[in-house]
Amino acid sequence: MTDSLQRTPLHALNLELGAKMVPFAGYEMPLQYPAGLMAEHLHTRSKAGLFDVSHMGQIRIAARSGDVRDAALALESLIPADYAGLAKGRQRYGFLTNDTAGILDDLMVANMGDDLFVVVNASCKEQDAALIEAALSDRCVVTRQFDRALMALQGPQAQDAIASLCPAAADMRFMDVIETELAAVPVTLSRSGYTGEDGYEIGCAAADAETVARALLAQSQVLPIGLGARDSLRLEAGLCLYGNDIDTTTTPIEASLAWAIQKARREGGSREGGYPGAEIVLRQAREGVSRKRVGLMAEGRAPVRAGAKLFADAEGQKEIGLVTSGAFGPTVQAPVAMGYVATDYAGNDTALFAELRGKFVPVHVRAMPFVAPGFKR
């Protein structure tokens, strides 16, 4: 570790719990705990796991007019999502785009009634905040809350674990967000996550983070989970990792994220376009793209990792794509991956070949997610 790495408010607790710490997005973060990656992954799928995700950025956006809809409309000038139509107490996925329709970051935006609550990726949070401030400060007050803690409680028993400390959590639906208390600590609580399982994300003051974490870890079904299992869980859930599966070289349509652009922002919608790269996104949605992000499953047990080239033939003569994420899926007991392939080869069950240690391994295009979601809608 170097002195330049930042530490989350749960750093001391992570060390106490025996975490193996690694550098990630400028932070010293837990890769895994003594149980190990495989056990942590399967525990989250069967019970409940607690993740320290305090490295992510939290931002509040309040309209100078006092009307949260004005803040939502302002944010829509940067993101192709319908936030003006987002009800109080609900959140929605989205992504910042640039002038060439590349994805600058993906994020979550919640309507808290008086303002918007935004959660962005750790590696992008400084540039995201600067972009939002530069674009919206004439209409909105943008407040960085990068000193706050953020935790994720994920798994089919997450509701039971959290409801014993916060009864209001049991009544929430997928993508609901409330301000409440957990273990007598004020928290911002959303029912969402990054594993495909039911679960919650919990934002609180840094000074209160350990109190909340210890209260949750005291529940018999909860174990601490590190970045390693977080990555394999999200991959089985078919969810993108920014910097791997989406970045400034990928557009929302190429990334198979058109579902995140609601009707109002699409061609013919009441607020069509109006964000950076809109003409490109609208054209691609109408005319199609030359490549698409797809799910992939390899034959055998060896995982096909990020960076592996994809071919149409077993001899490796016709290159048609690239793997962007890949690992062994502990739940499905098979290698899983995602990547970009030429559109002609993007159909479900299409047979392809991945380059693996000088050989060409058979892979098939598969629908994502690889594991059925457990969301409480």
Side-chain angles (χ1 to χ4, degrees), residues 55-351:
H55 58 313
M56 300 182 75
Q58 301 175 58
I59 301 170
R60 292 276 185 158
I61 304 174
R64 296 187 184 278
S65 68
D67 187 344
V68 71
R69 179 178 168 83
D70 289 339
L73 289 169
L75 190 58
E76 286 185 7
S77 69
L78 299 176
I79 301 173
D82 177 7
Y83 294 127
L86 186 61
K88 178 182 177 181
R90 297 287 290 168
Q91 70 175 4
R92 180 167 284 162
Y93 176 76
F95 28 78
L96 293 160
T97 52
N98 63 19
D99 289 339
T100 58
I103 300 172
L104 294 167
D105 195 14
D106 62 340
L107 41 73
M108 298 294 293
V109 177
N111 179 349
M112 304 305 296
D114 295 326
D115 64 2
L116 301 177
F117 174 56
V118 183
V119 178
V120 299
N121 283 304
S123 60
C124 304
K125 64 184 182 182
E126 295 290 345
Q127 70 180 39
D128 289 355
L131 174 65
I132 292 169
E133 288 162 356
L136 306 191
S137 288
D138 60 333
R139 293 165 284 174
C140 301
V141 176
V142 180
T143 305
R144 303 185 187 198
Q145 297 185 324
F146 294 171
D147 58 338
R148 284 174 63 83
L150 189 67
M151 289 161 268
L153 183 70
Q154 298 284 289
Q157 295 183 19
Q159 176 181 298
D160 291 342
I162 202 167
S164 66
L165 302 166
C166 176
D171 296 326
M172 297 172 68
R173 298 171 298 146
F174 181 58
M175 291 296 195
D176 277 353
V177 187
I178 61 173
E179 302 278 12
T180 184
E181 288 192 350
L182 197 162
V185 170
V187 298
T188 302
L189 185 67
S190 65
R191 193 161 194 166
S192 61
Y194 193 51
T195 62
E197 297 295 334
D198 181 29
Y200 302 83
E201 293 192 322
I202 307 146
C204 67
D208 295 326
E210 194 168 313
T211 298
V212 172
R214 287 187 184 277
L216 291 169
L217 290 168
Q219 309 297 307
S220 61
Q221 63 269 61
V222 180
L223 279 183
I225 311 295
L227 289 176
R230 182 173 170 85
D231 190 53
S232 57
L233 287 159
R234 70 91 192 169
L235 181 53
E236 286 186 340
L239 300 173
C240 296
L241 174 63
Y242 189 82
N244 281 48
D245 311 300
I246 51 175
D247 56 28
T248 54
T249 71
T250 58
T251 73
I253 309 303
E254 291 174 330
S256 300
L257 295 175
W259 59 267
I261 304 175
Q262 289 73 37
K263 183 178 179 180
R265 307 304 307 282
R266 296 180 184 177
E267 192 167 55
S270 58
R271 295 189 310 287
E272 170 189 324
Y275 52 87
E279 289 185 8
I280 297 170
V281 172
L282 293 170
R283 186 183 72 247
Q284 289 184 344
R286 181 176 63 251
E287 300 177 1
V289 289
S290 61
R291 63 172 186 159
K292 291 182 66 176
R293 181 177 65 92
V294 298
L296 301 160
M297 292 191 77
E299 295 181 10
R301 303 280 290 180
V304 176
R305 305 284 185 182
K309 295 178 180 180
L310 294 166
F311 298 86
D313 59 292
E315 293 74 36
Q317 297 299 307
K318 185 174 183 179
E319 185 176 339
I320 50 84
L322 186 74
V323 174
T324 54
S325 287
F328 186 81
T331 311
V332 299
Q333 283 293 294
V336 292
M338 68 174 75
Y340 287 81
V341 300
T343 305
D344 289 345
Y345 298 88
N348 201 28
D349 295 328
T350 302

Side-chain angles (χ1 to χ4, degrees), residues 351-364:
L352 305 173
F353 297 86
E355 189 173 19
L356 179 63
R357 296 190 291 273
K359 298 181 179 180
F360 298 98
V361 178
V363 300
H364 287 82

